[in-house]
Amino acid sequence: MLAAITLLEFFCGSLMFSYWLGKLVKKDITQVGDGNPGAFNLIQAAGIKIGLLGVFLDFAKGYFPLVYFVEKGYLPKSYIIPAAIAPILGHAFSPFLRFKGGKSIATTFGVWSATTKFRVSFFYAIVLALLFVIAKKLKHGGSTTTEEDAFMVVLGFLIVGVYLYLLDFSAYLLTLWFLNLLVMIYKNKEKLSTFYFAITNKEHELKK
């Protein structure tokens, strides 16, 4: 049963709604922004209305199947980890896009909304909003780069891990968080590397 649910969750996660919505309006969202086939690039490519539909669908595939299986008793806490990480992996490595996929941000929100009844996803949203405000002030109102966005997404999720630990969340949620973090770092590794070298170069210039 667990294997079947995990495979179904992976399949749900692999459904690239935002990419397909872009195709419906003749937009290739992999050619927009950072090239990520996810909901946030759909907003840039096709506008706010279609973009928000993409956000909802990418969120929904992480949320609704998992809620159903948990509430029906098919997924006790000790078994929830593989089923919960599966839709995130499905979006990140979608077979519909030759296993390239997106960064799973909206799907991550869906999974954490399902596993913690929105508690952790709400906290993560607040953290990201605060980081964005700080970044805008540091840049004097200018736009953030995709590298800076990637750094904030990962930093925000690291803060979520501290939140889980300090508030004594269950061990299975900490394990899920760690696996989710690994996926997030992997999918953002190039942006994080560029961001790191940009910061390092600035420090060297200041020292000169």
Side-chain angles (χ1 to χ4, degrees):
M1 178 65 76
L2 177 60
I5 290 174
T6 300
L7 285 173
L8 182 58
E9 287 280 1
F10 180 87
F11 173 76
C12 289
S14 71
L15 299 172
M16 303 304 291
F17 293 117
S18 293
Y19 178 76
W20 294 333
L21 284 171
K23 287 294 187 181
L24 282 176
V25 295
K26 296 180 170 50
K27 300 288 185 180
D28 184 357
I29 63 175
T30 62
Q31 302 302 314
V32 176
D34 61 359
N36 175 49
F40 299 102
N41 275 359
L42 179 62
I43 293 174
Q44 294 184 52
I48 190 70
K49 290 182 179 179
I50 294 177
L52 288 178
L53 176 59
V55 171
F56 172 75
L57 291 173
D58 285 350
F59 170 89
K61 68 186 183 183
Y63 178 74
F64 288 108
L66 195 56
V67 163
Y68 173 80
F69 290 126
V70 170
E71 290 188 351
K72 290 294 183 180
Y74 296 127
L75 285 175
K77 291 180 179 180
S78 56
Y79 294 136
I80 202 172
I81 296 171
I85 197 65
I88 294 170
L89 290 171
H91 186 90
F93 306 102
S94 174
F96 293 105
L97 290 179
R98 299 180 181 180
F99 297 96
K100 292 183 179 180
K103 295 179 180 177
S104 302
I105 298 172
T107 307
T108 289
F109 272 97
V111 166
W112 284 95
S113 296
T115 52
T116 64
K117 297 182 178 179
F118 291 90
R119 186 177 176 184
V120 170
S121 55
F122 182 66
F123 176 79
Y124 186 32
I126 292 174
V127 170
L128 287 180
L130 290 173
L131 289 175
F132 179 76
V133 169
I134 293 169
K136 293 289 282 186
K137 287 190 175 182
L138 289 175
K139 294 178 73 71
H140 305 290
S143 299
T144 55
T145 64
T146 56
E147 290 79 14
E148 290 165 343
D149 292 340
F151 174 74
M152 287 189 287
V153 165
V154 175
L155 175 60
F157 204 65
L158 283 168
I159 294 171
V160 167
V162 176
Y163 171 77
L164 292 171
Y165 178 77
L166 292 178
L167 271 68
D168 200 26
F169 276 77
S170 301
Y172 80 92
L173 288 174
L174 283 167
T175 304
L176 175 61
W177 167 82
F178 180 71
L179 295 174
N180 198 161
L181 177 66
L182 291 180
V183 175
M184 198 173 282
I185 291 173
Y186 179 81
K187 295 299 295 186
N188 288 282
K189 63 182 185 302
E190 292 178 1
K191 302 290 184 186
L192 293 173
S193 177
T194 302
F195 177 81
Y196 171 76
F197 285 115
I199 294 297
T200 303
N201 289 336
K202 283 184 179 180
E203 289 180 351
H204 287 161
E205 289 176 5
L206 289 173
K207 287 179 180 178
K208 290 180 181 179

